[in-house]
Amino acid sequence: MHESQITSSATQAVKTSRLSWFDDVLLLGIMAVLAGCGLIYEYLLSHYAGRILGALEAAIYTMIGLMIVSMGLGAFAARRIKDAFTGFAVLELTVALCGSLAILITAAVIGFGQQLPMLIASTLGLPPDQLPEGGMIGSLQKLSEHLPYVWGVLLGLMIGMEIPLIARVRQSLSDEHLLHNAGTIYGADYIGAGIGAAIWVGFMLAIDIQLAAALTASFNLLAGFVFIWRFWPKIQRAKLLLAGHFVVTGVLLLLAIQGPSWEQQFNNLLYKDKVVYAKATRFQQLTFTERLRGNGLSPIYSLYINGRLQFSSIDEHIYHAFLVHPTLAASARHNKVLIIGGGDGLGLKQVLRWEPEQVTLLDLDAALVQLFKTPDTNMPKRLSQALLALNGNAFNDPRVNVIHDDAFNGVDKLIAAGEKYDAIIVDLPDPSHPDLNKLYSDYFYRKLKELMSSDGALTVQSTSPYHAQKAFISVAKTLALAGFDVKQYHHNVPSFGEWGWSIATLNGKDAQHRLALLTELPIADDWLTLGLVKGAFEFPANFYQDATNIKPNELGSLQLYHYHQQAWSETQGLDLF
């Protein structure tokens, strides 16, 4: 053989053993898809912990941290997989199955764990006040709430194996060293993760969480199908793996169709009262429960948001009467009123009793407001009628202007428009998340100061002075730092216990002195009396003795968030009223 022929044959051998552009694009595309799936699994599991379990919002960061560490361990573990081709095909089948079932299994375990005391009591004939709680049962219930993190670690380990295996597959398809193998794969990984985040925010936040899990798992399964099709000769037991992919495809179809209803049924076990309607909005999980009382008494309806009780129809009027009427009674005028939060319209109903000319309600969640304005056709008619009766059909009043925006930014638009309000009512959720904390900051209150008339009054719901004393006092100190004259008051709301509010003014006498001058309330109420209002400003003699050591909540400090978390850490979580 001539030297030129030998050289030509060697060159041809090199060419035929190089990684083809098709295989390269295919593998990088698979890596990008899987990166997006991995990020969505992080969001899904942390989202479930936050929305359904009512866990601390730090669950999001805990989940992401755990999964990142697990992915690192998974990358090391991938070295023990001898056959990268077969290992990758098995891996995607396993990830798809675990990812699709994680939420449903978690819901089932936690739901039955909460029902276990009642099942035991029913079996043994125990009275309702002697449910077997605490001890081993309590420990099992607490452990079950950590199940999302177990799934996070498991999925993180498997997701961490994907990049090393894809890198080995790429390298094995070429006899030459791939100079930028790792860099190219990581580039696809980062881009895919970014696309996954966009899909989560733009699409999956608005759909049922179990459906989102099934859809995400389907992409893992699709990646496995494509990989098996392309590299069939290099995969051991390829027919068996292909059959496994078809079986899991059937499981995913079943989970996509029936999974959301199954998951909701398991979630419903978390509540002692019957769940009659549930809806996941873009921002939160809404759950309505019903308790039948008989003897001609109307049912008790309660709303839970992300597992936390928001109101109960039996005593919501107490909370909203104390929120609204002292505020408007302390204001010089009531022509223009601003409500921040209060998307259920219950506070709005009380405001409209003062015959204002205009009420502006600023709430982020349009879907929540819509439920209380024009109830969903899928909602039981008795519930929709009860909701409209509770808020007096307030959202359909022509004097009401609803703005859907984040409160922190929404008030800027009102300031830019030159708006002024005679009274401002802030009815926001407790500062249980850093994003909510800023709505209790000195900076936010200074914004509200620009919107309020000089002789008006502003009231902020301020959590429980009994359970979260430091957080309660911190709200007042923050308002004072923003330039308000602040007084605080409290009253018992049976569904919540002792609850408190902070009322602030800018000029003249403080709100307590203004209310003390009244001889009767301008608005007659079935519960609230002038005596109750005046008495609400009284606190135990030692209540404020440590106030000098309690700090205001300056923007960026997260001070109130930490006070709140510290106080409620033992009582937050599953709310089973």
Side-chain angles (χ1 to χ4, degrees):
M1 184 179 289
H2 293 295
E3 183 179 342
S4 61
Q5 290 176 312
I6 296 173
T7 303
S8 176
S9 298
T11 302
Q12 185 66 29
V14 171
K15 287 182 179 179
T16 56
S17 63
R18 281 181 178 173
L19 178 64
S20 70
W21 69 267
F22 178 80
D23 287 338
D24 201 21
V25 169
L26 180 68
L27 290 172
L28 293 177
I30 287 175
M31 191 65 254
V33 168
L34 300 184
C37 292
L39 192 72
I40 291 173
Y41 286 132
E42 291 180 12
Y43 291 158
L44 279 170
L45 291 168
S46 57
H47 197 61
Y48 182 84
R51 279 196 173 193
I52 307 302
L53 303 181
L56 301 178
E57 301 297 342
I60 296 173
Y61 313 116
T62 303
M63 181 67 70
I64 292 174
L66 280 174
M67 289 193 71
I68 288 174
V69 171
S70 300
M71 287 162 64
L73 295 175
F76 284 114
R79 295 184 299 181
R80 301 184 66 86
I81 299 176
K82 296 180 180 180
D83 183 349
F85 288 91
T86 304
F88 185 81
V90 172
L91 182 66
E92 291 316 300
L93 180 63
T94 309
V95 171
L97 191 60
C98 291
S100 63
L101 289 171
I103 299 297
L104 192 62
I105 291 175
T106 300
V109 171
I110 294 174
F112 282 116
Q114 296 299 319
Q115 288 293 308
L116 185 57
M118 285 176 274
L119 291 173
I120 294 175
S122 176
T123 302
L124 299 179
L126 299 176
D129 60 345
Q130 293 185 17
L131 293 181
E133 297 176 331
M136 185 178 69
I137 293 176
S139 298
L140 289 174
Q141 290 175 336
K142 207 66 183 173
L143 284 172
S144 70
E145 293 175 30
H146 292 86
L147 192 55
Y149 303 116
V150 175
W151 284 112
V153 170
L154 181 61
L155 284 169
L157 287 169
M158 292 188 287
I159 292 168
M161 296 180 185
E162 291 172 340
I163 289 179
L165 291 180
I166 286 288
R168 285 167 55 187
V169 167
R170 288 184 80 232
Q171 185 63 61
S172 69
L173 294 173
S174 174
D175 287 338
E176 292 185 336
H177 176 65
L178 297 178
L179 294 177
H180 304 292
N181 191 6
T184 304
I185 290 176
Y186 277 112
D189 180 78
Y190 296 147
I191 292 171
I195 294 172
I199 292 172
W200 171 259
V201 173
F203 171 63
M204 288 192 169
L205 266 175
I207 66 175
D208 182 89
I209 195 168
Q210 177 56 46
L211 177 59
L215 289 175
T216 305
S218 69
F219 281 92
N220 285 104
L221 204 62
L222 179 62
F225 270 120
V226 172
F227 189 84
I228 291 172
W229 162 75
R230 181 57 184 151
F231 303 110
W232 181 276
K234 297 179 178 293
I235 298 173
Q236 299 177 25
R237 299 182 179 177
K239 290 183 179 179
L240 182 60
L241 283 171
L242 185 61
H245 276 67
F246 279 116
V247 170
V248 175
T249 298
V251 172
L252 292 185
L253 286 172
L254 183 62
L255 289 175
I257 297 170
Q258 295 294 333
S261 64
W262 291 341
E263 179 226 345
Q264 189 57 58
Q265 289 172 23
F266 290 136
N267 292 336
N268 293 350
L269 297 175
L270 301 179
Y271 303 90
K272 290 183 178 177
D273 294 338
K274 180 183 178 182
V275 174
V276 290
Y277 182 79
K279 180 181 179 66
T281 74
R282 182 177 177 81
F283 302 103
Q284 50 203 354
Q285 174 71 31
L286 311 177
T287 304
F288 293 87
T289 66
E290 177 185 59
R291 186 192 310 165
L292 300 177
R293 295 190 288 173
N295 297 322
L297 297 173
S298 59
I300 297 174
Y301 292 102
S302 300
L303 168 63
Y304 295 79
I305 295 182
N306 295 346
R308 299 187 182 105
L309 181 66
Q310 298 302 299
F311 73 76
S312 174
S313 62
I314 197 170
D315 58 16
E316 62 78 19
H317 64 282
I318 301 175
Y319 170 87
H320 291 101
F322 272 90
L323 173 72
V324 171
H325 298 318
T327 314
L328 295 182
S331 300
R333 291 174 306 280
H334 323 110
N335 296 330
K336 289 183 65 177
V337 179
L338 173 64
I339 301 174
I340 298 176
D344 49 31
L346 301 176
L348 175 61
K349 172 188 176 181
Q350 300 295 340
V351 170
L352 291 174
R353 295 178 60 194
W354 289 77
E355 297 298 332
E357 295 176 1
Q358 178 189 338
V359 183
T360 299
L361 187 141
L362 177 60
D363 194 281
L364 178 63
D365 197 340
L368 170 64
V369 173
Q370 189 63 33
L371 280 181
F372 285 87
K373 180 179 181 180
T374 308
D376 192 338
T377 54
N378 294 325
M379 179 183 287
K381 189 174 182 180
R382 65 186 185 280
L383 175 59
S384 62
Q385 291 175 340
L387 296 184
L388 292 177
L390 279 173
N391 69 12
N393 201 21
F395 284 117
N396 292 302
D397 191 298
R399 295 170 292 176
V400 177
N401 174 39
V402 179
I403 300 173
H404 297 298
D405 202 344
D406 174 76
F408 199 80
N409 300 318
V411 296
D412 287 336
K413 297 173 185 177
L414 296 175
I415 293 170
E419 297 287 356
K420 286 286 185 181
Y421 297 94
D422 300 316
I424 299 176
I425 295 166
V426 184
D427 189 17
L428 293 168
D430 280 3
S432 58
H433 186 280
D435 286 344
L436 286 168
N437 183 80
K438 67 183 180 183
L439 298 177
Y440 287 82
S441 67
D442 61 327
Y443 186 74
F444 182 68
Y445 292 149
R446 286 191 176 97
K447 292 184 180 185
L448 298 185
K449 186 178 174 181
E450 293 187 49
L451 288 171
M452 196 171 82
S453 299
S454 60
D455 53 2
L458 174 151
T459 294
V460 178
Q461 90 79 10
S462 305
T463 195
S464 171
Y466 180 78
H467 293 288
Q469 183 178 359
K470 288 183 179 179
F472 177 75
I473 295 174
S474 180
V475 173
K477 299 194 77 169
T478 306
L479 282 164
L481 183 63
F484 289 97
D485 191 349
V486 188
K487 294 294 180 180
Q488 292 188 290
Y489 60 102
H490 64 110
H491 190 74
N492 184 269
V493 182
S495 292
F496 297 105
E498 199 68 18
W499 211 257
W501 302 264
S502 302
I503 187 167
T505 55
L506 288 174
N507 297 305
K509 296 186 179 204
D510 62 54
Q512 184 178 4
H513 281 92
R514 295 183 191 184
L515 294 169
L517 297 174
L518 297 177
T519 56
E520 63 178 3
L521 279 177
I523 295 294
D525 189 83
D526 293 337
W527 182 273
L528 192 65
T529 66
L530 185 58
L532 284 177
V533 171
K534 293 179 179 180
F537 287 90
E538 290 294 324
F539 286 88
N542 63 351
F543 186 80
Y544 288 100
Q545 68 179 7
D546 294 326
T548 54
N549 298 320
I550 297 173
K551 298 178 181 178
N553 187 41
E554 297 182 75
L555 183 66
S557 70
L558 294 181
Q559 185 63 65
L560 184 61
Y561 168 73
H562 292 309
Y563 282 146
H564 184 272
Q565 295 299 82
Q566 180 184 5
W568 288 99
S569 60
E570 294 184 0
T571 55
Q572 253 184 347
L574 296 178
D575 198 337
L576 304 176
F577 287 106

